mmCIF file of all heavy atoms in Angstrom:
data_model
loop_
_atom_site.group_PDB
_atom_site.id
_atom_site.type_symbol
_atom_site.label_atom_id
_atom_site.label_comp_id
_atom_site.label_asym_id
_atom_site.label_seq_id
_atom_site.Cartn_x
_atom_site.Cartn_y
_atom_site.Cartn_z
ATOM 1 N N MET A 1 -136.598 126.236 -24.704
ATOM 2 C CA MET A 1 -135.630 126.963 -25.481
ATOM 3 C C MET A 1 -135.667 126.476 -26.899
ATOM 4 O O MET A 1 -135.521 127.285 -27.845
ATOM 5 C CB MET A 1 -134.210 126.965 -24.813
ATOM 6 C CG MET A 1 -133.292 127.871 -25.469
ATOM 7 S SD MET A 1 -131.593 128.006 -24.684
ATOM 8 C CE MET A 1 -131.944 128.976 -23.362
ATOM 9 N N LEU A 2 -135.738 125.203 -27.195
ATOM 10 C CA LEU A 2 -135.718 124.776 -28.481
ATOM 11 C C LEU A 2 -136.988 124.961 -29.201
ATOM 12 O O LEU A 2 -136.956 124.977 -30.409
ATOM 13 C CB LEU A 2 -135.418 123.189 -28.496
ATOM 14 C CG LEU A 2 -133.918 122.786 -28.068
ATOM 15 C CD1 LEU A 2 -133.810 121.338 -27.945
ATOM 16 C CD2 LEU A 2 -132.857 123.517 -28.974
ATOM 17 N N SER A 3 -138.015 125.288 -28.516
ATOM 18 C CA SER A 3 -139.362 125.608 -29.205
ATOM 19 C C SER A 3 -139.012 127.063 -29.874
ATOM 20 O O SER A 3 -139.600 127.369 -31.000
ATOM 21 C CB SER A 3 -140.408 125.802 -28.254
ATOM 22 O OG SER A 3 -140.227 126.723 -27.253
ATOM 23 N N TRP A 4 -138.210 127.829 -29.236
ATOM 24 C CA TRP A 4 -137.956 129.230 -29.871
ATOM 25 C C TRP A 4 -137.176 128.962 -31.287
ATOM 26 O O TRP A 4 -137.316 129.712 -32.319
ATOM 27 C CB TRP A 4 -137.134 130.142 -28.901
ATOM 28 C CG TRP A 4 -137.990 130.637 -27.906
ATOM 29 C CD1 TRP A 4 -138.075 130.319 -26.591
ATOM 30 C CD2 TRP A 4 -138.664 131.896 -27.891
ATOM 31 N NE1 TRP A 4 -138.934 131.117 -25.943
ATOM 32 C CE2 TRP A 4 -139.236 132.152 -26.713
ATOM 33 C CE3 TRP A 4 -138.902 132.745 -28.950
ATOM 34 C CZ2 TRP A 4 -140.100 133.109 -26.421
ATOM 35 C CZ3 TRP A 4 -139.873 133.919 -28.789
ATOM 36 C CH2 TRP A 4 -140.464 134.029 -27.510
ATOM 37 N N VAL A 5 -136.237 128.022 -31.262
ATOM 38 C CA VAL A 5 -135.477 127.657 -32.447
ATOM 39 C C VAL A 5 -136.495 127.259 -33.465
ATOM 40 O O VAL A 5 -136.369 127.794 -34.596
ATOM 41 C CB VAL A 5 -134.391 126.598 -32.089
ATOM 42 C CG1 VAL A 5 -133.739 126.116 -33.405
ATOM 43 C CG2 VAL A 5 -133.408 127.058 -31.149
ATOM 44 N N VAL A 6 -137.265 126.349 -33.242
ATOM 45 C CA VAL A 6 -138.280 125.985 -34.230
ATOM 46 C C VAL A 6 -139.105 127.136 -34.751
ATOM 47 O O VAL A 6 -139.352 127.195 -35.954
ATOM 48 C CB VAL A 6 -139.234 124.776 -33.689
ATOM 49 C CG1 VAL A 6 -140.231 124.337 -34.572
ATOM 50 C CG2 VAL A 6 -138.323 123.631 -33.327
ATOM 51 N N THR A 7 -139.592 127.975 -33.756
ATOM 52 C CA THR A 7 -140.405 128.910 -34.147
ATOM 53 C C THR A 7 -139.680 129.943 -35.172
ATOM 54 O O THR A 7 -140.222 130.504 -36.236
ATOM 55 C CB THR A 7 -140.807 129.893 -32.956
ATOM 56 O OG1 THR A 7 -141.533 129.013 -32.055
ATOM 57 C CG2 THR A 7 -141.705 131.011 -33.266
ATOM 58 N N PHE A 8 -138.472 130.392 -34.888
ATOM 59 C CA PHE A 8 -137.639 131.272 -35.699
ATOM 60 C C PHE A 8 -137.304 130.590 -36.983
ATOM 61 O O PHE A 8 -137.349 131.252 -38.085
ATOM 62 C CB PHE A 8 -136.381 131.774 -35.025
ATOM 63 C CG PHE A 8 -136.522 132.860 -34.130
ATOM 64 C CD1 PHE A 8 -136.403 132.632 -32.716
ATOM 65 C CD2 PHE A 8 -136.972 133.996 -34.627
ATOM 66 C CE1 PHE A 8 -136.676 133.773 -31.896
ATOM 67 C CE2 PHE A 8 -137.088 135.129 -33.829
ATOM 68 C CZ PHE A 8 -136.902 135.002 -32.404
ATOM 69 N N LEU A 9 -137.159 129.221 -36.994
ATOM 70 C CA LEU A 9 -136.915 128.543 -38.335
ATOM 71 C C LEU A 9 -138.078 128.494 -39.095
ATOM 72 O O LEU A 9 -138.071 128.655 -40.398
ATOM 73 C CB LEU A 9 -136.506 127.080 -38.072
ATOM 74 C CG LEU A 9 -134.992 126.898 -37.584
ATOM 75 C CD1 LEU A 9 -134.653 125.462 -37.388
ATOM 76 C CD2 LEU A 9 -134.022 127.525 -38.685
ATOM 77 N N VAL A 10 -139.340 128.412 -38.556
ATOM 78 C CA VAL A 10 -140.568 128.475 -39.443
ATOM 79 C C VAL A 10 -140.869 129.901 -39.909
ATOM 80 O O VAL A 10 -141.172 130.011 -41.197
ATOM 81 C CB VAL A 10 -141.838 128.025 -38.565
ATOM 82 C CG1 VAL A 10 -143.089 128.228 -39.002
ATOM 83 C CG2 VAL A 10 -141.684 126.570 -38.187
ATOM 84 N N VAL A 11 -140.522 130.832 -39.086
ATOM 85 C CA VAL A 11 -140.610 132.279 -39.552
ATOM 86 C C VAL A 11 -139.565 132.448 -40.721
ATOM 87 O O VAL A 11 -139.952 133.164 -41.750
ATOM 88 C CB VAL A 11 -140.331 133.320 -38.472
ATOM 89 C CG1 VAL A 11 -140.182 134.703 -38.980
ATOM 90 C CG2 VAL A 11 -141.449 133.244 -37.471
ATOM 91 N N ALA A 12 -138.495 131.901 -40.744
ATOM 92 C CA ALA A 12 -137.434 132.146 -41.661
ATOM 93 C C ALA A 12 -138.011 131.405 -43.040
ATOM 94 O O ALA A 12 -137.786 131.928 -44.097
ATOM 95 C CB ALA A 12 -136.128 131.559 -41.321
ATOM 96 N N LEU A 13 -138.416 130.213 -42.846
ATOM 97 C CA LEU A 13 -138.971 129.471 -44.067
ATOM 98 C C LEU A 13 -140.142 130.219 -44.756
ATOM 99 O O LEU A 13 -140.156 130.376 -45.924
ATOM 100 C CB LEU A 13 -139.342 128.079 -43.621
ATOM 101 C CG LEU A 13 -138.331 127.043 -43.281
ATOM 102 C CD1 LEU A 13 -138.803 125.823 -42.716
ATOM 103 C CD2 LEU A 13 -137.484 126.899 -44.583
ATOM 104 N N ILE A 14 -141.083 130.725 -43.922
ATOM 105 C CA ILE A 14 -142.218 131.413 -44.576
ATOM 106 C C ILE A 14 -141.743 132.781 -45.071
ATOM 107 O O ILE A 14 -142.186 133.194 -46.288
ATOM 108 C CB ILE A 14 -143.276 131.574 -43.492
ATOM 109 C CG1 ILE A 14 -143.945 130.369 -43.002
ATOM 110 C CG2 ILE A 14 -144.327 132.604 -43.898
ATOM 111 C CD1 ILE A 14 -144.811 130.439 -41.799
ATOM 112 N N ALA A 15 -140.959 133.419 -44.426
ATOM 113 C CA ALA A 15 -140.317 134.729 -45.051
ATOM 114 C C ALA A 15 -139.522 134.458 -46.209
ATOM 115 O O ALA A 15 -139.656 135.287 -47.221
ATOM 116 C CB ALA A 15 -139.429 135.386 -43.876
ATOM 117 N N GLY A 16 -138.838 133.354 -46.258
ATOM 118 C CA GLY A 16 -138.091 133.036 -47.484
ATOM 119 C C GLY A 16 -138.873 132.726 -48.632
ATOM 120 O O GLY A 16 -138.693 133.110 -49.700
ATOM 121 N N ILE A 17 -140.088 132.009 -48.389
ATOM 122 C CA ILE A 17 -140.864 131.633 -49.542
ATOM 123 C C ILE A 17 -141.608 132.802 -49.972
ATOM 124 O O ILE A 17 -141.871 132.982 -51.263
ATOM 125 C CB ILE A 17 -141.975 130.573 -48.929
ATOM 126 C CG1 ILE A 17 -141.269 129.113 -48.833
ATOM 127 C CG2 ILE A 17 -143.061 130.500 -49.934
ATOM 128 C CD1 ILE A 17 -142.163 128.162 -48.059
ATOM 129 N N LEU A 18 -141.907 133.808 -49.074
ATOM 130 C CA LEU A 18 -142.654 134.975 -49.651
ATOM 131 C C LEU A 18 -141.733 136.016 -50.134
ATOM 132 O O LEU A 18 -142.152 137.028 -50.694
ATOM 133 C CB LEU A 18 -143.410 135.576 -48.361
ATOM 134 C CG LEU A 18 -144.638 134.740 -47.917
ATOM 135 C CD1 LEU A 18 -145.222 135.454 -46.707
ATOM 136 C CD2 LEU A 18 -145.602 134.567 -48.961
ATOM 137 N N GLY A 19 -140.342 135.896 -49.961
ATOM 138 C CA GLY A 19 -139.498 136.679 -50.696
ATOM 139 C C GLY A 19 -138.886 137.823 -49.854
ATOM 140 O O GLY A 19 -138.203 138.753 -50.269
ATOM 141 N N PHE A 20 -139.078 137.647 -48.451
ATOM 142 C CA PHE A 20 -138.549 138.632 -47.513
ATOM 143 C C PHE A 20 -137.173 138.135 -47.051
ATOM 144 O O PHE A 20 -136.977 137.424 -46.071
ATOM 145 C CB PHE A 20 -139.434 138.696 -46.261
ATOM 146 C CG PHE A 20 -140.732 139.352 -46.715
ATOM 147 C CD1 PHE A 20 -141.902 138.620 -46.675
ATOM 148 C CD2 PHE A 20 -140.894 140.660 -47.066
ATOM 149 C CE1 PHE A 20 -143.060 139.033 -47.001
ATOM 150 C CE2 PHE A 20 -142.144 141.271 -47.453
ATOM 151 C CZ PHE A 20 -143.200 140.355 -47.374
ATOM 152 N N GLY A 21 -136.171 138.375 -47.987
ATOM 153 C CA GLY A 21 -134.813 137.793 -47.576
ATOM 154 C C GLY A 21 -134.085 138.353 -46.302
ATOM 155 O O GLY A 21 -133.517 137.562 -45.616
ATOM 156 N N GLY A 22 -134.387 139.544 -45.981
ATOM 157 C CA GLY A 22 -133.751 140.137 -44.767
ATOM 158 C C GLY A 22 -134.362 139.527 -43.557
ATOM 159 O O GLY A 22 -133.475 139.287 -42.573
ATOM 160 N N ILE A 23 -135.718 139.541 -43.549
ATOM 161 C CA ILE A 23 -136.228 138.820 -42.444
ATOM 162 C C ILE A 23 -135.947 137.388 -42.167
ATOM 163 O O ILE A 23 -135.638 136.906 -41.163
ATOM 164 C CB ILE A 23 -137.816 139.051 -42.321
ATOM 165 C CG1 ILE A 23 -138.117 140.540 -42.302
ATOM 166 C CG2 ILE A 23 -138.490 138.296 -41.350
ATOM 167 C CD1 ILE A 23 -139.566 140.800 -42.752
ATOM 168 N N ALA A 24 -135.766 136.666 -43.410
ATOM 169 C CA ALA A 24 -135.444 135.196 -43.268
ATOM 170 C C ALA A 24 -134.130 135.009 -42.815
ATOM 171 O O ALA A 24 -133.872 134.153 -41.944
ATOM 172 C CB ALA A 24 -135.683 134.643 -44.703
ATOM 173 N N GLY A 25 -133.137 135.977 -43.332
ATOM 174 C CA GLY A 25 -131.904 135.788 -42.827
ATOM 175 C C GLY A 25 -131.600 136.039 -41.362
ATOM 176 O O GLY A 25 -130.853 135.384 -40.633
ATOM 177 N N ALA A 26 -132.345 137.177 -40.910
ATOM 178 C CA ALA A 26 -132.156 137.457 -39.432
ATOM 179 C C ALA A 26 -132.779 136.283 -38.610
ATOM 180 O O ALA A 26 -132.358 135.998 -37.603
ATOM 181 C CB ALA A 26 -132.841 138.755 -39.156
ATOM 182 N N SER A 27 -134.002 135.751 -38.964
ATOM 183 C CA SER A 27 -134.547 134.653 -38.236
ATOM 184 C C SER A 27 -133.624 133.449 -38.206
ATOM 185 O O SER A 27 -133.483 132.709 -37.191
ATOM 186 C CB SER A 27 -135.822 134.303 -38.997
ATOM 187 O OG SER A 27 -136.796 135.309 -38.846
ATOM 188 N N VAL A 28 -132.954 133.083 -39.259
ATOM 189 C CA VAL A 28 -132.037 132.023 -39.345
ATOM 190 C C VAL A 28 -130.850 132.170 -38.242
ATOM 191 O O VAL A 28 -130.479 131.397 -37.559
ATOM 192 C CB VAL A 28 -131.522 131.728 -40.632
ATOM 193 C CG1 VAL A 28 -130.341 130.749 -40.655
ATOM 194 C CG2 VAL A 28 -132.677 131.130 -41.497
ATOM 195 N N GLU A 29 -130.396 133.455 -38.345
ATOM 196 C CA GLU A 29 -129.219 133.793 -37.387
ATOM 197 C C GLU A 29 -129.584 133.680 -35.908
ATOM 198 O O GLU A 29 -128.863 133.091 -35.182
ATOM 199 C CB GLU A 29 -128.655 135.127 -37.668
ATOM 200 C CG GLU A 29 -127.990 135.230 -39.049
ATOM 201 C CD GLU A 29 -126.815 134.266 -39.161
ATOM 202 O OE1 GLU A 29 -126.029 134.147 -38.214
ATOM 203 O OE2 GLU A 29 -126.688 133.671 -40.210
ATOM 204 N N ILE A 30 -130.968 134.194 -35.634
ATOM 205 C CA ILE A 30 -131.376 134.106 -34.301
ATOM 206 C C ILE A 30 -131.524 132.700 -33.873
ATOM 207 O O ILE A 30 -131.316 132.276 -32.804
ATOM 208 C CB ILE A 30 -132.650 134.913 -34.132
ATOM 209 C CG1 ILE A 30 -132.372 136.337 -34.306
ATOM 210 C CG2 ILE A 30 -133.388 134.619 -32.810
ATOM 211 C CD1 ILE A 30 -133.674 137.278 -34.449
ATOM 212 N N ALA A 31 -132.232 131.871 -34.776
ATOM 213 C CA ALA A 31 -132.354 130.439 -34.560
ATOM 214 C C ALA A 31 -131.001 129.768 -34.257
ATOM 215 O O ALA A 31 -130.854 128.948 -33.314
ATOM 216 C CB ALA A 31 -133.126 129.763 -35.655
ATOM 217 N N LYS A 32 -130.041 130.038 -35.067
ATOM 218 C CA LYS A 32 -128.717 129.364 -34.856
ATOM 219 C C LYS A 32 -128.160 129.879 -33.591
ATOM 220 O O LYS A 32 -127.597 128.931 -32.802
ATOM 221 C CB LYS A 32 -127.687 129.730 -36.001
ATOM 222 C CG LYS A 32 -127.840 129.057 -37.265
ATOM 223 C CD LYS A 32 -126.603 129.157 -38.080
ATOM 224 C CE LYS A 32 -126.894 130.068 -39.216
ATOM 225 N NZ LYS A 32 -125.746 130.303 -40.147
ATOM 226 N N THR A 33 -128.206 131.102 -33.131
ATOM 227 C CA THR A 33 -127.662 131.534 -31.940
ATOM 228 C C THR A 33 -128.337 130.918 -30.735
ATOM 229 O O THR A 33 -127.667 130.311 -29.771
ATOM 230 C CB THR A 33 -127.728 133.039 -31.873
ATOM 231 O OG1 THR A 33 -127.100 133.621 -32.873
ATOM 232 C CG2 THR A 33 -127.249 133.530 -30.547
ATOM 233 N N ILE A 34 -129.603 130.711 -30.826
ATOM 234 C CA ILE A 34 -130.393 130.130 -29.658
ATOM 235 C C ILE A 34 -130.028 128.699 -29.715
ATOM 236 O O ILE A 34 -129.922 128.000 -28.537
ATOM 237 C CB ILE A 34 -131.905 130.386 -29.761
ATOM 238 C CG1 ILE A 34 -132.149 131.798 -29.600
ATOM 239 C CG2 ILE A 34 -132.591 129.566 -28.650
ATOM 240 C CD1 ILE A 34 -133.617 132.190 -29.854
ATOM 241 N N PHE A 35 -129.922 127.946 -30.667
ATOM 242 C CA PHE A 35 -129.742 126.509 -30.778
ATOM 243 C C PHE A 35 -128.209 126.335 -30.168
ATOM 244 O O PHE A 35 -128.044 125.405 -29.459
ATOM 245 C CB PHE A 35 -129.651 126.103 -32.175
ATOM 246 C CG PHE A 35 -129.235 124.669 -32.321
ATOM 247 C CD1 PHE A 35 -130.188 123.587 -32.010
ATOM 248 C CD2 PHE A 35 -127.941 124.327 -32.844
ATOM 249 C CE1 PHE A 35 -129.767 122.324 -32.107
ATOM 250 C CE2 PHE A 35 -127.678 122.952 -33.018
ATOM 251 C CZ PHE A 35 -128.546 121.914 -32.646
ATOM 252 N N PHE A 36 -127.231 127.069 -30.556
ATOM 253 C CA PHE A 36 -125.931 126.894 -29.962
ATOM 254 C C PHE A 36 -125.829 127.156 -28.436
ATOM 255 O O PHE A 36 -125.211 126.498 -27.596
ATOM 256 C CB PHE A 36 -124.822 127.678 -30.659
ATOM 257 C CG PHE A 36 -124.560 127.009 -32.050
ATOM 258 C CD1 PHE A 36 -124.712 127.802 -33.190
ATOM 259 C CD2 PHE A 36 -124.035 125.708 -32.122
ATOM 260 C CE1 PHE A 36 -124.432 127.263 -34.443
ATOM 261 C CE2 PHE A 36 -123.925 125.066 -33.471
ATOM 262 C CZ PHE A 36 -124.005 125.847 -34.647
ATOM 263 N N ILE A 37 -126.614 128.181 -28.050
ATOM 264 C CA ILE A 37 -126.712 128.495 -26.556
ATOM 265 C C ILE A 37 -127.357 127.177 -25.879
ATOM 266 O O ILE A 37 -126.968 126.904 -24.725
ATOM 267 C CB ILE A 37 -127.510 129.738 -26.316
ATOM 268 C CG1 ILE A 37 -126.660 130.903 -26.730
ATOM 269 C CG2 ILE A 37 -127.932 129.880 -24.839
ATOM 270 C CD1 ILE A 37 -127.373 132.177 -26.744
ATOM 271 N N ALA A 38 -128.392 126.653 -26.498
ATOM 272 C CA ALA A 38 -129.044 125.497 -25.879
ATOM 273 C C ALA A 38 -128.033 124.192 -25.693
ATOM 274 O O ALA A 38 -128.034 123.581 -24.734
ATOM 275 C CB ALA A 38 -130.206 125.046 -26.662
ATOM 276 N N ILE A 39 -127.303 124.104 -26.805
ATOM 277 C CA ILE A 39 -126.219 123.052 -26.769
ATOM 278 C C ILE A 39 -125.253 123.171 -25.766
ATOM 279 O O ILE A 39 -124.889 122.297 -24.960
ATOM 280 C CB ILE A 39 -125.566 122.841 -28.252
ATOM 281 C CG1 ILE A 39 -126.697 122.385 -29.222
ATOM 282 C CG2 ILE A 39 -124.416 121.877 -28.142
ATOM 283 C CD1 ILE A 39 -127.164 120.981 -29.000
ATOM 284 N N ILE A 40 -124.697 124.416 -25.570
ATOM 285 C CA ILE A 40 -123.703 124.668 -24.626
ATOM 286 C C ILE A 40 -124.249 124.532 -23.253
ATOM 287 O O ILE A 40 -123.601 123.835 -22.347
ATOM 288 C CB ILE A 40 -123.296 126.098 -24.699
ATOM 289 C CG1 ILE A 40 -122.296 126.245 -26.099
ATOM 290 C CG2 ILE A 40 -122.418 126.648 -23.510
ATOM 291 C CD1 ILE A 40 -121.976 127.655 -26.336
ATOM 292 N N LEU A 41 -125.479 124.957 -22.932
ATOM 293 C CA LEU A 41 -126.133 124.727 -21.627
ATOM 294 C C LEU A 41 -126.312 123.232 -21.309
ATOM 295 O O LEU A 41 -126.279 122.768 -20.218
ATOM 296 C CB LEU A 41 -127.478 125.469 -21.595
ATOM 297 C CG LEU A 41 -127.361 127.085 -21.582
ATOM 298 C CD1 LEU A 41 -128.741 127.677 -21.598
ATOM 299 C CD2 LEU A 41 -126.639 127.433 -20.245
ATOM 300 N N PHE A 42 -126.666 122.481 -22.249
ATOM 301 C CA PHE A 42 -126.851 121.129 -22.244
ATOM 302 C C PHE A 42 -125.489 120.453 -21.832
ATOM 303 O O PHE A 42 -125.474 119.574 -20.876
ATOM 304 C CB PHE A 42 -127.431 120.454 -23.461
ATOM 305 C CG PHE A 42 -127.417 118.882 -23.544
ATOM 306 C CD1 PHE A 42 -128.258 118.148 -22.680
ATOM 307 C CD2 PHE A 42 -126.370 118.181 -24.083
ATOM 308 C CE1 PHE A 42 -128.145 116.839 -22.664
ATOM 309 C CE2 PHE A 42 -126.290 116.819 -24.126
ATOM 310 C CZ PHE A 42 -127.310 116.141 -23.290
ATOM 311 N N LEU A 43 -124.374 120.791 -22.520
ATOM 312 C CA LEU A 43 -123.128 120.202 -22.243
ATOM 313 C C LEU A 43 -122.721 120.458 -20.766
ATOM 314 O O LEU A 43 -122.157 119.735 -20.107
ATOM 315 C CB LEU A 43 -122.181 120.544 -23.278
ATOM 316 C CG LEU A 43 -122.435 120.000 -24.660
ATOM 317 C CD1 LEU A 43 -121.328 120.653 -25.582
ATOM 318 C CD2 LEU A 43 -122.272 118.545 -24.683
ATOM 319 N N VAL A 44 -122.829 121.759 -20.500
ATOM 320 C CA VAL A 44 -122.458 122.216 -19.086
ATOM 321 C C VAL A 44 -123.250 121.374 -17.949
ATOM 322 O O VAL A 44 -122.806 120.890 -17.070
ATOM 323 C CB VAL A 44 -122.670 123.750 -18.918
ATOM 324 C CG1 VAL A 44 -122.506 124.176 -17.491
ATOM 325 C CG2 VAL A 44 -121.682 124.462 -19.679
ATOM 326 N N SER A 45 -124.520 121.307 -18.204
ATOM 327 C CA SER A 45 -125.390 120.472 -17.333
ATOM 328 C C SER A 45 -125.000 119.009 -17.296
ATOM 329 O O SER A 45 -124.961 118.440 -16.213
ATOM 330 C CB SER A 45 -126.884 120.563 -17.797
ATOM 331 O OG SER A 45 -127.721 119.802 -17.044
ATOM 332 N N ALA A 46 -124.637 118.423 -18.299
ATOM 333 C CA ALA A 46 -124.218 117.082 -18.509
ATOM 334 C C ALA A 46 -122.870 116.903 -17.684
ATOM 335 O O ALA A 46 -122.733 116.034 -16.856
ATOM 336 C CB ALA A 46 -124.094 116.536 -19.833
ATOM 337 N N VAL A 47 -121.990 117.786 -17.819
ATOM 338 C CA VAL A 47 -120.677 117.725 -17.155
ATOM 339 C C VAL A 47 -120.918 117.858 -15.737
ATOM 340 O O VAL A 47 -120.309 117.125 -14.833
ATOM 341 C CB VAL A 47 -119.674 118.820 -17.708
ATOM 342 C CG1 VAL A 47 -118.439 118.900 -16.775
ATOM 343 C CG2 VAL A 47 -119.245 118.436 -19.103
ATOM 344 N N VAL A 48 -121.695 118.810 -15.290
ATOM 345 C CA VAL A 48 -121.986 119.145 -13.804
ATOM 346 C C VAL A 48 -122.583 117.819 -13.210
ATOM 347 O O VAL A 48 -122.277 117.390 -12.090
ATOM 348 C CB VAL A 48 -122.749 120.314 -13.601
ATOM 349 C CG1 VAL A 48 -123.360 120.427 -12.105
ATOM 350 C CG2 VAL A 48 -122.007 121.579 -13.976
ATOM 351 N N GLY A 49 -123.551 117.240 -13.935
ATOM 352 C CA GLY A 49 -124.153 116.040 -13.524
ATOM 353 C C GLY A 49 -123.140 114.827 -13.252
ATOM 354 O O GLY A 49 -123.413 114.041 -12.424
ATOM 355 N N LEU A 50 -122.301 114.661 -14.272
ATOM 356 C CA LEU A 50 -121.270 113.711 -14.077
ATOM 357 C C LEU A 50 -120.325 114.044 -13.050
ATOM 358 O O LEU A 50 -120.025 112.960 -12.357
ATOM 359 C CB LEU A 50 -120.542 113.579 -15.487
ATOM 360 C CG LEU A 50 -121.332 112.953 -16.587
ATOM 361 C CD1 LEU A 50 -120.263 113.038 -17.761
ATOM 362 C CD2 LEU A 50 -121.582 111.456 -16.396
ATOM 363 N N VAL A 51 -119.883 115.159 -12.783
ATOM 364 C CA VAL A 51 -118.963 115.510 -11.805
ATOM 365 C C VAL A 51 -119.616 115.276 -10.306
ATOM 366 O O VAL A 51 -119.027 114.773 -9.417
ATOM 367 C CB VAL A 51 -118.446 116.984 -11.930
ATOM 368 C CG1 VAL A 51 -117.734 117.432 -10.556
ATOM 369 C CG2 VAL A 51 -117.612 117.128 -13.069
ATOM 370 N N ARG A 52 -120.830 115.641 -10.291
ATOM 371 C CA ARG A 52 -121.532 115.502 -8.877
ATOM 372 C C ARG A 52 -121.871 114.129 -8.673
ATOM 373 O O ARG A 52 -121.877 113.621 -7.487
ATOM 374 C CB ARG A 52 -122.778 116.291 -8.825
ATOM 375 C CG ARG A 52 -122.526 117.895 -8.883
ATOM 376 C CD ARG A 52 -123.809 118.683 -8.762
ATOM 377 N NE ARG A 52 -124.510 118.326 -7.557
ATOM 378 C CZ ARG A 52 -125.617 118.818 -7.207
ATOM 379 N NH1 ARG A 52 -126.400 119.513 -8.158
ATOM 380 N NH2 ARG A 52 -126.192 118.524 -6.128
ATOM 381 N N GLY A 53 -122.080 113.241 -9.701
ATOM 382 C CA GLY A 53 -122.519 111.803 -9.566
ATOM 383 C C GLY A 53 -123.903 111.836 -8.754
ATOM 384 O O GLY A 53 -124.666 112.770 -8.636
ATOM 385 N N ARG A 54 -124.228 110.551 -8.625
ATOM 386 C CA ARG A 54 -125.559 110.358 -7.882
ATOM 387 C C ARG A 54 -125.321 110.402 -6.493
ATOM 388 O O ARG A 54 -124.447 109.957 -5.894
ATOM 389 C CB ARG A 54 -126.056 108.950 -8.319
ATOM 390 C CG ARG A 54 -126.412 108.836 -9.749
ATOM 391 C CD ARG A 54 -127.142 107.508 -10.009
ATOM 392 N NE ARG A 54 -127.630 107.493 -11.369
ATOM 393 C CZ ARG A 54 -128.528 106.617 -11.804
ATOM 394 N NH1 ARG A 54 -129.011 105.989 -10.897
ATOM 395 N NH2 ARG A 54 -128.956 106.676 -13.047
ATOM 396 N N GLY A 55 -126.380 111.117 -5.833
ATOM 397 C CA GLY A 55 -126.406 111.114 -4.355
ATOM 398 C C GLY A 55 -126.959 109.880 -3.690
ATOM 399 O O GLY A 55 -127.432 108.976 -4.495
ATOM 400 N N GLN A 56 -126.866 109.757 -2.390
ATOM 401 C CA GLN A 56 -127.467 108.683 -1.836
ATOM 402 C C GLN A 56 -129.039 108.577 -1.884
ATOM 403 O O GLN A 56 -129.610 109.735 -1.723
ATOM 404 C CB GLN A 56 -127.062 108.453 -0.382
ATOM 405 C CG GLN A 56 -125.605 108.198 -0.178
ATOM 406 C CD GLN A 56 -125.127 108.246 1.235
ATOM 407 O OE1 GLN A 56 -125.842 108.586 2.015
ATOM 408 N NE2 GLN A 56 -123.961 107.627 1.491
ATOM 409 N N VAL A 57 -129.598 107.591 -2.274
ATOM 410 C CA VAL A 57 -131.220 107.500 -2.324
ATOM 411 C C VAL A 57 -131.705 106.981 -1.168
ATOM 412 O O VAL A 57 -131.312 106.181 -0.599
ATOM 413 C CB VAL A 57 -131.600 106.706 -3.611
ATOM 414 C CG1 VAL A 57 -133.056 106.664 -3.877
ATOM 415 C CG2 VAL A 57 -130.816 107.273 -4.885
#
């Protein structure tokens, strides 16, 4: 999922350098949204992992 964030950020940088402000802005917003979704999913996963604890090995 974080690879999508990097992809959209690269697209935004290239579009910004070439002067396509609308595409660059949209790419940054998409990258931010995906990044925050990834952070939320990570935190939920960490909390669930802590609550469940380690099973017997």
Side-chain angles (χ1 to χ4, degrees):
M1 184 176 279
L2 291 178
S3 63
W4 283 98
V5 172
V6 173
T7 302
F8 279 111
L9 284 176
V10 169
V11 168
L13 288 173
I14 292 171
I17 290 171
L18 295 176
F20 298 106
I23 295 172
S27 295
V28 168
E29 291 301 318
I30 292 170
K32 277 199 255 183
T33 303
I34 294 173
F35 177 75
F36 286 122
I37 290 171
I39 293 295
I40 290 169
L41 289 175
F42 169 75
L43 292 175
V44 167
S45 176
V47 168
V48 168
L50 288 174
V51 169
R52 290 182 65 188
R54 291 188 176 200
Q56 293 179 343
V57 179

